[in-house]
Every structure is written in C-alpha cells, then in structure tokens.
Amino acid sequence: MSQHSSASNQAVNLWYTRCGAATASALAIRQQWLQQEFAGNGTQLHSLRDSESLEVRNSHYHHKQSGMFREGGNIPPIWAKGQGHDTVVVGITWLDEYQGIIVREDSGIHSITDLKGKRLGIPNHADAVIDFQRGAAQHGFATAFELHGLVPADAKWVDIAAPSYDLADGPRRERSEYKHVELEALNDGRVDAIFVRFARGVRLANTPGYRQLININEHHDPFVRVNNGTPRPVTVDRAFLQKHPDVVDRYLAVLLRTAAWAATHPQEVVDLLAPEGQSASEAEVIASHGANVHLSFTPTLSNQYVKGLEIQKNFLRDWGYVKQDFDIQDWIDPAPLARAAHLVRQQPEFTVFAAAQAA
C-alpha cells in the first residue's frame, strides 16, 4: 500500500453500503470480490447495514460516516451534499430503470392529459432521513406532465402516509413484508394514479386490473429518463479520499473490473439483479433495465453522466430537497477514477475473479 495508508499500523476502516442490486458495487459484494480485495491486514471492510448503530446505518442517507463508499440512487447523496456534508463524486454509472404511471383499468383515465384535475398518490415517509421515494414519485409525475404540456399545479398531489422500518439502535430491523401504500390508495379509490418503478413496477403495469399511461424509460432522450435511479453516483467523504487515496483507487478498480466481467456475462448479471424479496422474473428484470443491462455498470465521468446528475440536482433544488445549491463540477474529483483505470490496465483481473469462476 502507499505511504498514505501505511503511515499507521492500524487498519484502515472502510464501509460499504448496498443500494439495491443494480450497481457494480452490489454485484462485487454478491460475488465476494469487494470483500476479498480488502481482506488484507491493511484494511478492514464493514457492511453499513450490519452495524447496530442507527446513526451509522443512516449514513446510507446522510453520508456522515467517514470511509463509506456509496453507489446507488442519487437523491440521498445530492440531499446530503446540499446539507453541507463534504462528499466527493468519484464515478457515475447510468443504469436505466422502469418508470411508469398506472391507473385502475376501470377508470376513465387513458392518457397523461386525462390526469388534469385528478389525484396523484405520493408517498410520505415522515420518519425517513430523506424521503427519496417521495422525490422519485414527484419527479416521475413532473416528467410525464412536462412531456404532455401540463404543469404540476394541474393535478392534486395527495400524500399517502408510508411506514419507515429501521428507526432504533440494535440489529437492523428488516421489514417482513413490503407495504405498497400508494397501490393500496389506488385500489381503494383515494387516488387516481400512482408512479411505479423497478421490476415491481413492470409487474404491476402488466397485472390485470391496471392500465399503464406511460413508460418514461422508453423515451429516446436519456435526460428525460433522469430520476433517483439514473444516474447513480459513487461517493466517498472528501476527508477519507485525501487521507487514503490509494484505498479509494482500489475500490474503484474493483468496480471497473466488475463492470468488465458483467459485460461478458449477461445471463449471470440478470440472475444477480433479481430484486431481493421480489422474485422478479428474467423478463421483468430485462423489461425494467433493458436487454443491455449487463453493459451498464462501468463508472465514468462522461459529459452525459455529469449532465444527468446536474439535471437531477436542479430538480431537487427546485422542489425544496437541496438546502444549499452547489456547483456539480465542484462535487466531482476525476483523479481517483483515472488512477483506478491505470490499476486495471496493469492488472485487468483479480486473481480472486479466476478463483470465483473456477469454484
């Protein structure tokens, strides 16, 4: 290891946090590649969700835990940055996901324009650190409205109280069953339309009794498809990056190698992306993320990815989620990803990759 991380005899503590299955980090974790990379004496890897401290687990949202790497939905890290937490974007991935608006099939609503004056169900997780699901629903409806010449004020936005599950110290409380409060509100007639996403949304859109009004993910313009899941920044706190740049480089190198593996293993990727607890079919995964989902895991800092992140930041600013606006370019440090790419060129694959494939 470099002098940055070897100056102390103490192991460097780093944390990973899982954000669904559809990230390079999640693939690397499931394949044990991330754990094996940091299994040496110089580093100690911890799973955020395994901590018994609620404050540590909540770093998944507020990013206060130093040494935490986060890759996933963009609303929490953008919100945390707007709260003044000094994080750095060291990579971005772009993985499209299904975003749809559905109504009951027995309603008289057949198009987005028919939603004028209607009730839109929006989840309200009052106990959440940051209600990213609410932000995603608001952005989905706002996008659909803009595409059809409507403005948000043309409809009635109805808050649907939604539960939070992990609210106390101790082992993380796993929810025994997903409670889709917006769907319940749609079913019992309290609202006229709801926003759905992921493979779960695909399934609902194709379930008898419901009608899909729009699939935003089908739009040709990638910037129209921007929402919480697209694009997905890789973030770490600036203090950790400055103190342990080599550890950050190695983490990113794992993601780059994982993305290279994914690009040549499409079936394995689809199998790994079946959302936990949802038993999504292969068809639903592909319908949600696209047939080329296995090509979507390489972190870059391309102009498109950065622009997409800026569009989402501006939306969250305009809708009151960002307390203090910031320049997206000031949030990005391209140096670690460039160094990680150099590491990968020197050693394209980890030896653990070959061992995992042979097992």
Side-chain angles (χ1 to χ4, degrees):
M1 301 185 69
S2 77
Q3 62 179 352
H4 297 282
S5 293
S6 59
S8 170
N9 291 326
Q10 293 184 336
V12 177
N13 288 295
L14 54 152
W15 299 78
Y16 68 85
T17 177
R18 297 170 58 184
C19 194
T23 61
S25 296
L27 293 180
I29 291 163
R30 290 187 172 191
Q31 299 288 70
Q32 296 292 309
W33 296 332
L34 188 66
Q35 295 90 323
Q36 292 180 55
E37 168 64 16
F38 293 106
N41 293 331
T43 54
Q44 189 167 357
L45 186 66
H46 308 274
S47 168
L48 204 72
R49 68 189 302 167
D50 290 343
S51 174
E52 295 199 357
S53 165
L54 178 63
E55 182 69 3
V56 171
R57 293 197 300 272
N58 278 342
S59 186
H60 180 80
Y61 307 105
H62 57 51
H63 222 307
K64 293 180 182 179
Q65 177 63 48
S66 184
M68 186 193 78
F69 293 85
R70 187 188 192 283
E71 178 191 1
N74 56 49
I75 290 179
I78 292 173
W79 169 82
K81 179 65 175 176
Q83 292 289 111
H85 302 303
D86 196 9
T87 58
V88 182
V89 173
V90 291
I92 305 172
T93 58
W94 190 292
L95 187 138
D96 287 306
E97 64 183 25
Y98 174 78
Q99 302 178 63
I101 293 173
I102 64 171
V103 298
R104 282 172 35 171
E105 200 168 36
D106 60 1
S107 77
I109 301 170
H110 294 268
S111 67
I112 295 297
T113 54
D114 289 340
L115 290 178
K116 188 170 184 178
K118 297 298 191 295
R119 300 162 300 170
L120 314 180
I122 306 296
N124 182 20
H125 298 81
D127 294 320
V129 177
I130 171 63
D131 196 347
F132 65 91
Q133 296 184 61
R134 179 180 180 82
Q138 289 172 330
H139 199 166
F141 275 117
T143 295
F145 273 30
E146 184 175 359
L147 289 173
H148 291 81
L150 301 178
V151 296
D154 285 331
K156 301 173 183 176
W157 300 70
V158 179
D159 285 347
I160 308 299
S164 295
Y165 297 89
D166 189 20
L167 298 172
D169 286 332
R172 183 178 185 271
R173 181 189 171 193
E174 300 287 351
R175 60 191 184 196
S176 57
E177 184 178 346
Y178 177 74
K179 187 177 177 64
H180 199 321
V181 295
E182 305 103 288
L183 184 63
E184 292 177 357
L186 180 65
N187 289 339
D188 64 25
R190 283 178 286 151
V191 301
D192 300 302
I194 62 172
F195 172 78
V196 293
R197 59 193 184 117
F198 303 138
R200 182 189 295 116
V202 171
R203 184 180 304 157
L204 279 171
N206 290 286
T207 298
Y210 303 105
R211 177 185 299 123
Q212 175 186 274
L213 301 183
I214 189 174
N215 177 356
I216 296 171
N217 200 32
E218 292 178 338
H219 201 280
H220 67 278
D221 186 345
F223 297 134
V224 171
R225 305 193 301 266
V226 167
N227 203 320
N228 178 60
T230 310
R232 305 178 180 214
V234 182
T235 50
V236 67
D237 62 288
R238 192 180 302 273
F240 185 86
L241 171 59
Q242 291 174 343
K243 189 173 182 179
H244 304 291
D246 57 330
V247 175
V248 177
D249 300 350
R250 288 169 58 200
Y251 188 100
L252 290 171
V254 171
L255 301 192
L256 290 169
R257 294 181 179 114
T258 299
W261 171 86
T264 58
H265 293 78
Q267 185 60 53
E268 290 93 329
V269 168
V270 170
D271 293 341
L272 288 168
L273 291 188
E276 297 173 4
Q278 295 184 46
S279 301
S281 68
E282 177 179 331
E284 288 169 342
V285 170
I286 292 174
S288 177
H289 299 297
N292 291 324
V293 61
H294 59 291
L295 304 178
S296 303
F297 295 95
T298 302
T300 76
L301 290 169
S302 69
N303 290 335
Q304 175 188 318
Y305 289 16
V306 173
K307 179 64 176 178
L309 195 61
E310 183 175 37
I311 288 171
Q312 177 71 338
K313 186 267 294 184
N314 290 344
F315 172 85
L316 295 173
R317 176 199 63 201
D318 296 344
W319 283 68
Y321 288 88
V322 173
K323 184 176 181 180
Q324 182 177 348
D325 197 10
F326 57 91
D327 188 326
I328 209 78
Q329 293 293 340
D330 293 340
W331 195 24
I332 295 170
D333 186 344
L337 190 60
R339 294 193 300 264
H342 179 69
L343 291 177
V344 172
R345 285 193 295 271
Q346 290 180 318
Q347 184 183 1
E349 294 184 355
F350 285 127
T351 55
V352 297
F353 277 31
Q357 294 301 306

